[in-house]
């Protein structure tokens, strides 16, 4: 959901007629982004577009109503929700995110299997390069503050310090997640060096691509629970410091998202 919200925030600067256009062409935007990592053939492009169009149809019919429901819950209760209620909503969002990845998994795996060895090496090399781009602690904290200010408006010194302290508290969990993703990429790279892949190897590749919660190591599951709990603690603490203007800004933010979701829902795919 965080990724979805980030995309929606970027759309806020566009005119209303652009919302529908971008949503209708989301499959091509995904293709353009993917081709920053690997050069595809025309048949591979067509295969990807066809697969993601089907995912998009399901996204509009199945997932958009869920987003609207979550926004209504937040709009009505964000000032009073306790930790348990926020955790419950967070679990719904996380479950949706993995369902969405599972929907996309077969299309992505089919594409990976179709790549020749040159394309596979290009893809892995570019992913490693992207993963190797590290920002300093201060840069990451500033980015976090900017994301909050996109929603709440200008933060005061106390609020910025709260976010900064939170960043340090979850740094360990971030490193664990980075190491986990590096291991996943190594497994994917090893499998893609084999050609052709057996049915069992394709199933193994699918597990690493999807990375579903039920397949995660126990320590990763534990760390995720702890990280989410700390994030919720931050949100509740930050909520208590909001000024009247910041509260109004958040309400307007939710209204903007609801409007955009309505535009997406009306788009003719």
């Amino acid at each position: 959901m965080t990724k979805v919200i980030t995309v929606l925030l970027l759309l806020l600067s566009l005119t209303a007629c652009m919302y529908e256009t971008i949503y209708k062409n989301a499959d091509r935007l995904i293709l353009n982004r993917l081709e920053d990592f690997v050069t595809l053939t025309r048949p591979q492009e067509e295969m990807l577009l066809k697969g993601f169009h089907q995912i998009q149809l399901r996204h509009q019919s199945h997932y958009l109503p869920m987003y609207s429901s979550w926004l209504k819950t937040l709009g009505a209760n964000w000032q009073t929700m306790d930790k348990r209620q926020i955790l419950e909503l967070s679990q719904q969002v996380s479950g949706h995110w993995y369902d969405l990845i599972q929907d996309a998994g077969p299309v992505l795996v089919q594409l990976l299997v179709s790549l020749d060895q040159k394309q596979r090496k290009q893809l892995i090399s570019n992913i490693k390069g992207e993963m190797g781009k590290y920002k300093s602690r201060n840069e990451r904290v500033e980015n976090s503050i900017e994301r909050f200010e996109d929603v709440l408006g200008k933060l005061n010194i106390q609020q910025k310090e709260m976010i900064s302290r939170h960043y340090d508290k979850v740094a360990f969990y971030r490193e664990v997640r980075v190491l986990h993703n590096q291991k996943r990429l190594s497994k994917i790279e090893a499998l893609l060096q084999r050609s052709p892949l057996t049915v069992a190897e394709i199933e193994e590749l699918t597990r690493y691509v999807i990375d579903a919660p039920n397949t995660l190591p126990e320590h990763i599951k534990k760390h995720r629970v702890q990280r989410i709990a700390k994030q919720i603690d931050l949100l509740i603490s930050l909520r208590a410091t909001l000024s009247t203007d910041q509260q109004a800004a958040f309400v307007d933010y939710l209204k903007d998202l609801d409007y955009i979701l309505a535009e997406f829902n009306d788009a003719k795919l």
Side-chain angles (χ1 to χ4, degrees):
M1 185 61 176
T2 301
K3 297 179 184 297
V4 175
I5 293 297
T6 300
V7 172
L8 293 177
L9 278 174
L10 293 175
L11 295 178
L12 291 177
S13 62
L14 302 175
T15 59
C17 63
M18 288 294 292
Y19 299 145
E20 180 178 354
T21 301
I22 287 181
Y23 189 66
K24 288 172 65 174
N25 290 283
D27 52 353
R28 293 194 174 275
L29 294 175
I30 290 170
L31 174 61
N32 291 341
R33 176 56 176 156
L34 180 59
E35 290 196 315
D36 289 338
F37 291 85
V38 60
T39 304
L40 301 178
T41 64
R42 181 59 63 84
Q44 288 169 336
E45 291 178 352
E46 293 174 352
M47 176 179 67
L48 185 71
L49 290 173
K50 181 179 179 181
F52 269 97
H53 181 68
Q54 295 303 312
I55 294 170
Q56 197 172 0
L57 291 173
R58 173 168 165 74
H59 185 269
Q60 186 181 56
S61 63
H62 181 69
Y63 292 116
L64 287 186
M66 293 168 58
Y67 299 169
S68 295
S69 174
W70 295 333
L71 283 175
K72 285 182 173 61
T73 298
L74 284 174
N77 305 296
W78 70 270
Q79 291 177 304
T80 58
M81 292 175 74
D82 59 24
K83 188 170 183 177
R84 180 191 59 80
Q85 292 170 319
I86 297 174
L87 177 60
E88 182 179 335
L89 183 59
S90 171
Q91 289 171 334
Q92 292 178 31
V93 172
S94 296
H96 139 270
W97 180 246
Y98 286 111
D99 287 345
L100 187 56
I101 293 174
Q102 285 184 314
D103 286 348
V107 178
L108 295 173
V109 170
Q110 183 183 17
L111 178 66
L112 289 174
V113 172
S114 77
L115 301 177
D116 61 30
Q117 284 300 324
K118 181 179 178 181
Q119 289 173 310
R120 294 178 184 185
K121 289 179 180 178
Q122 180 190 25
L123 175 64
I124 296 297
S125 176
N126 285 330
I127 292 177
K128 286 181 177 178
E130 190 71 19
M131 291 176 67
K133 294 178 181 178
Y134 291 104
K135 294 181 180 179
S136 69
R137 175 200 175 276
N138 289 342
E139 287 177 317
R140 289 181 178 275
V141 171
E142 284 300 317
N143 287 343
S144 296
I145 290 172
E146 286 176 8
R147 287 194 293 272
F148 274 100
E149 290 190 329
D150 285 338
V151 177
L152 301 172
K154 188 69 175 177
L155 300 180
N156 60 41
I157 294 176
Q158 176 195 4
Q159 292 166 334
K160 291 180 180 180
E161 289 176 347
M162 291 169 64
I163 295 170
S164 179
R165 287 195 299 270
H166 169 75
Y167 178 89
D168 293 331
K169 288 179 181 178
V170 299
F172 169 74
Y173 304 117
R174 190 179 304 106
E175 291 303 317
V176 169
R177 185 173 59 198
V178 168
L179 289 174
H180 174 65
N181 286 334
Q182 288 174 342
K183 290 179 180 179
R184 284 176 59 205
L185 184 60
S186 295
K187 295 289 187 180
I188 292 172
E189 180 180 18
L191 286 167
L192 291 181
Q193 289 175 354
R194 307 170 191 177
S195 186
L197 275 70
T198 65
V199 172
E201 288 169 342
I202 292 176
E203 290 176 352
E204 185 179 4
L205 178 63
T206 301
R207 287 197 299 274
Y208 288 122
V209 168
I210 295 177
D211 199 37
N214 61 332
T215 66
L216 293 173
E218 286 303 317
H219 74 283
I220 297 294
K221 294 179 184 178
K222 178 182 177 181
H223 290 154
R224 281 192 173 177
V225 171
Q226 293 172 340
R227 175 172 54 84
I228 290 171
K230 290 185 183 298
Q231 290 174 334
I232 293 174
D233 287 339
L234 170 66
L235 293 177
I236 292 175
S237 298
L238 194 60
R239 181 178 62 188
T241 70
L242 297 183
S243 67
T244 302
D245 287 343
Q246 288 172 329
Q247 292 180 34
F250 184 68
V251 171
D252 288 342
Y253 162 79
L254 293 180
K255 290 179 180 178
D256 286 337
L257 291 183
D258 190 54
Y259 172 74
I260 293 171
L261 287 177
E263 292 292 313
F264 285 179
N265 190 62
D266 292 339
K268 306 298 182 182
L269 300 179

